[in-house]
């Protein structure tokens, strides 16, 4: 290989490497710029945490008989939240839109109208540290999120997703699923 061809070959190699590095940086920035919320990850539904006073578990609680479901049927299921998908068990839904607000412990408890245990008793009995703090008040803010989808969705026989689309994060590792009726507790899968 003569000296001129070697210099041209060397320039092409250097230029190609620079392009590869730039492409990698651009892709890395795009991935890191995606929103990442505290609740992103995989969660396992463990048990019923709270039950509303007026919840009877009958068709009186649903719009139509076929609309009623028992959230307790979903114990043991995994939930997965990410910027690209929401998963309930084996069912995956693309492009979830997360609507996030704060809710106080008091407003959550008042809205759910829970029979004993109420939210305060439940937190104490379970030894849950709200936002990983030793103390909290009724006005301590919690992250509340719900999931919306642009397209129509369904889950098995329902024209909606029965659990996992309205949640309250108690801390990084524990969240409540649902706002009324039977509210479930889920723990982050490590």
């Amino acid at each position: 290989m003569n000296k001129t061809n070697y210099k041209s070959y060397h320039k092409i190699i250097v230029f190609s490497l620079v392009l590869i590095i730039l492409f990698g940086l651009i892709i890395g920035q795009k991935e890191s710029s995606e929103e990442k919320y505290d609740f992103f990850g995989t969660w396992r539904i463990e048990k019923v945490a709270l039950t509303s006073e007026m919840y009877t578990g009958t068709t009186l609680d649903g719009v139509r008989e076929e609309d009623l479901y028992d959230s307790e049927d979903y114990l043991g299921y995994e939930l997965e939240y990410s910027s690209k998908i929401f998963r309930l068990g084996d069912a995956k839904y693309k492009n979830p839109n997360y609507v996030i607000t704060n809710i106080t412990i008091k407003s959550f408890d008042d809205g759910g109208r829970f029979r004993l245990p109420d939210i305060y008793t439940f937190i104490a009995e379970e030894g849950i540290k709200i936002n990983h703090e030793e103390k909290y008040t009724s006005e301590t803010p919690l992250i509340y999120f719900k999931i919306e989808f642009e397209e129509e969705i369904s889950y098995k026989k329902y024209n909606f997703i029965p659990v996992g689309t309205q949640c309250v994060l108690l801390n990084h590792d524990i969240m409540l699923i649902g706002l009324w009726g039977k509210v479930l507790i889920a723990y982050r899968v490590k």
Side-chain angles (χ1 to χ4, degrees):
M1 184 182 286
N2 66 31
K3 200 172 195 177
T4 307
N5 285 346
Y6 179 75
K7 285 183 179 182
S8 295
Y9 178 74
H10 181 70
K11 286 180 183 179
I12 290 171
I13 296 294
V14 168
F15 181 73
S16 297
L17 287 172
V18 168
L19 283 177
I20 290 170
I21 291 170
L22 285 174
F23 182 72
L25 289 173
I26 290 169
I27 294 298
Q29 282 182 336
K30 183 178 178 185
E31 287 178 2
S32 66
S33 68
E34 288 182 4
E35 291 183 281
K36 294 181 181 170
Y37 298 115
D38 286 344
F39 55 84
F40 277 8
T42 304
W43 299 78
R44 181 174 171 79
I45 302 171
E46 293 294 328
K47 64 182 179 178
V48 175
L50 304 162
T51 304
S52 296
E53 288 176 355
M54 295 173 53
Y55 179 75
T56 62
T58 70
T59 55
L60 297 175
D61 297 313
V63 178
R64 297 185 312 266
E65 186 172 331
E66 63 272 17
D67 288 343
L68 187 69
Y69 62 92
D70 187 351
S71 43
E72 201 166 345
D73 292 343
Y74 298 92
L75 297 182
Y77 276 59
E78 282 190 352
L79 299 164
E80 183 178 351
Y81 301 92
S82 77
S83 61
K84 295 183 184 329
I85 65 136
F86 163 70
R87 178 176 62 87
L88 169 60
D90 294 332
K92 288 185 181 181
Y93 303 88
K94 293 181 181 177
N95 303 317
N97 179 33
Y98 297 99
V99 179
I100 302 168
T101 59
N102 284 328
I103 185 172
T104 64
I105 294 173
K106 180 181 181 345
S107 61
F108 176 78
D109 194 56
D110 289 349
R113 298 186 59 190
F114 302 112
R115 49 178 98 121
L116 288 177
D118 60 8
I119 186 71
Y120 306 102
T121 306
F122 178 77
I123 290 169
E125 287 176 352
E126 294 291 316
I128 297 171
K129 292 184 179 178
I130 301 299
N131 300 325
H132 295 289
E133 299 292 329
E134 289 295 325
K135 295 182 180 182
Y136 69 92
T137 69
S138 63
E139 297 303 314
T140 298
L142 303 171
I143 295 172
Y144 161 73
F145 69 93
K146 66 179 181 176
I147 305 174
E148 297 176 346
F149 297 91
E150 290 184 17
E151 68 279 355
E152 292 216 13
I153 48 103
S154 62
Y155 179 81
K156 297 186 179 180
K157 68 179 185 175
Y158 304 111
N159 62 352
F160 58 91
I161 301 172
V163 297
T165 58
Q166 293 187 12
C167 302
V168 175
L169 200 60
L170 297 179
N171 62 42
H172 183 72
D173 299 314
I174 304 171
M175 75 173 162
L176 297 174
I177 301 164
L179 299 175
W180 190 89
K182 284 184 182 175
V183 175
L184 307 173
I185 189 166
Y187 294 92
R188 186 179 296 277
V189 175
K190 304 264 180 190

